[in-house]
Amino acid sequence: MKWTIRILQGLLAAAFLMFGILKLAAHPIQVEAFTTTYGYGLSFMYIVGAIELLAGIGLIIGFWKPRIAFYSAGTIVVIMAGAMLTHVRSGQGMKAAALPLLFLMLALIVVLGRSKRA
């Protein structure tokens, strides 16, 4: 189980580093999604991007400091719950919310796996 948690933690770290960088770099697809599709402002996109980037960095540090991995994965759970609600609220339905749900479940596994050592 220890290696399963570490592998999931590494995959989540890579994904959220990428997601955060895309938002902070104001990638056109992200800008359009946040402003047009979801109805949020650019400042909110930058805040979410910074949180995702920090969570990804926290998951990497969490290989040596399990408490940081616990809190970083917990942050991802909250962000992905918000992402799911955003997809549903914008009229995209649960089909679009499936990927955030997957990331939420993977992060929850990391939270539970790291809670013993946090």
Side-chain angles (χ1 to χ4, degrees):
M1 187 68 171
K2 177 179 171 180
W3 283 102
T4 303
I5 299 300
R6 287 183 179 181
I7 290 168
L8 290 176
Q9 185 176 331
L11 292 172
L12 283 171
F16 280 87
L17 286 172
M18 181 184 69
F19 297 154
I21 289 170
L22 284 174
K23 287 178 181 73
L24 291 176
H27 191 276
I29 293 174
Q30 292 294 326
V31 171
E32 182 182 347
F34 267 79
T35 57
T36 306
T37 308
Y38 309 139
Y40 296 134
L42 286 179
S43 58
F44 186 68
M45 180 186 74
Y46 290 126
I47 291 168
V48 171
I51 292 170
E52 288 177 347
L53 184 65
L54 290 173
I57 292 169
L59 286 173
I60 292 171
I61 295 170
F63 284 119
W64 296 277
K65 302 284 185 182
R67 184 178 301 263
I68 294 175
F70 174 78
Y71 290 120
S72 295
T75 300
I76 290 172
V77 168
V78 172
I79 290 172
M80 290 298 100
M84 287 175 52
L85 289 174
T86 296
H87 284 294
V88 171
R89 186 181 67 97
S90 68
Q92 294 178 319
M94 280 306 293
K95 185 175 181 180
L99 192 58
L101 177 62
L102 174 66
F103 282 119
L104 185 147
M105 290 188 298
L106 294 176
L108 193 57
I109 292 169
V110 173
V111 166
L112 294 174
R114 290 299 189 176
S115 66
K116 299 170 191 156
R117 291 173 235 147

